[in-house]
Amino acid sequence: MLGSFRFLLAALVALSHLVGTFYLRHLGYFAVASFFVLSGLVITSALNEVYHFRARPFWTNRALRLAPAYLAVCLATGAAIHAFPDQAFGFTTRWTSAHSVSDVIRNLLIVPLAFQEPYFRFVEPAWSMAVEIIMYVFLFLVAARSETGALVSLGFGLAAHAYLLANGATFYQRYFSIESALLGFALGATFYFWRRRALIEPTTVRLSVICALWLGNFFADGILMPEGYWLSAGFYCNILLTAFLAAGLINLRPQGWVRRADALLGRWSYPVFLSHWLGGFIAQLIFMPGAPASWRLALAAAPVILAMAAGLDLAQER
């Protein structure tokens, strides 16, 4: 059921951006952190069980999986900015028409976005994609090679966060640094090896409890926990609970239409993640010109985003 889980995470990122309320903003941060853990688990599994660390098929697959859809959304976004420059800048200041050629090149290459904060960006969450690619390299070279490599990497990730916390770093400094992302990826890799040694075997009951705790942690801030909980303990609880949840979901293999639906949602998760800003902008132009981010905008954008995701998925399959 990892496909449905990925789709849920992508939908939470879209909601955090398009609804615009402060309370929902942290859902996107939590969802991206969960994506990092999930990627650590899944990519480590693929490297060990599918690719056996053969570089050419692995990197060819990653390039074909990530690049075409990303470049298509960049092209469509660029066309929208050119056609509606004032409205685009009003929707998000990232979409300024006063961008340079170097801005465009950095966006198309993706990886440079992990090392600086460019003012112009075609795809708002492209930073996390850049971090993913860098972490794929680290998994391929170190963390996914052995349990020892995963544990050493996890130690470095924990040390990085401990250092930042001890020096009073803000949440955003802890969240956006590349070394901080290592925590989630290394934890996912570690859980892969622990699953293989049967150290972690979530039963249906345990998985249900973990799922409830994971969801509760998402919405605990200001309700079950004090306001600001998500900035500290809540963020780290999310990372740990995601590791247990993903390790359990990977064992669930539904049959029939449920399996097909799960696979479809999994394929749509990446396109939804890429295109939700563009889908929101298109919905604003058509249904509510000039309207700010809101639940109405998010709901109006949903069919547009899903249609774009379906189109990108079909093109990807072709």
Side-chain angles (χ1 to χ4, degrees), residues 265-282:
L265 290 175
R267 294 201 311 269
W268 281 10
S269 60
Y270 178 56
V272 167
F273 184 75
L274 286 179
S275 64
H276 66 271
W277 274 98
L278 181 59
F281 180 54
I282 293 172

Side-chain angles (χ1 to χ4, degrees), residues 42-54 58 136 139-141 144:
V42 171
I43 296 300
T44 299
S45 175
L47 283 169
N48 281 275
E49 299 176 13
V50 178
Y51 298 103
H52 304 290
F53 292 93
R54 291 172 294 145
F58 174 71
Y136 290 164
L139 288 169
F140 185 87
L141 295 177

Side-chain angles (χ1 to χ4, degrees), residues 37 135 138 149-167 174 177-188 190-191 194 235-237 239-240 243:
V37 177
M135 288 295 111
F138 191 80
L151 286 170
V152 170
S153 303
L154 179 59
F156 275 107
L158 289 169
H161 278 269
Y163 174 81
L164 291 170
L165 286 167
N167 286 274
R174 288 183 280 121
S177 62
I178 297 174
E179 59 272 20
S180 295
L182 178 60
L183 175 62
F185 280 92
L187 186 62
T190 299
F191 268 57
W194 286 352
F235 179 70
Y236 294 106
C237 285
I239 292 173
L240 182 60

Side-chain angles (χ1 to χ4, degrees), residues 96-117:
T96 173
S97 57
H99 55 268
S100 65
V101 174
S102 62
D103 289 330
V104 174
I105 292 174
R106 282 196 295 271
N107 274 262
L108 296 181
L109 293 177
I110 307 179
V111 173
L113 300 178
F115 300 97
Q116 55 186 327
E117 180 65 21

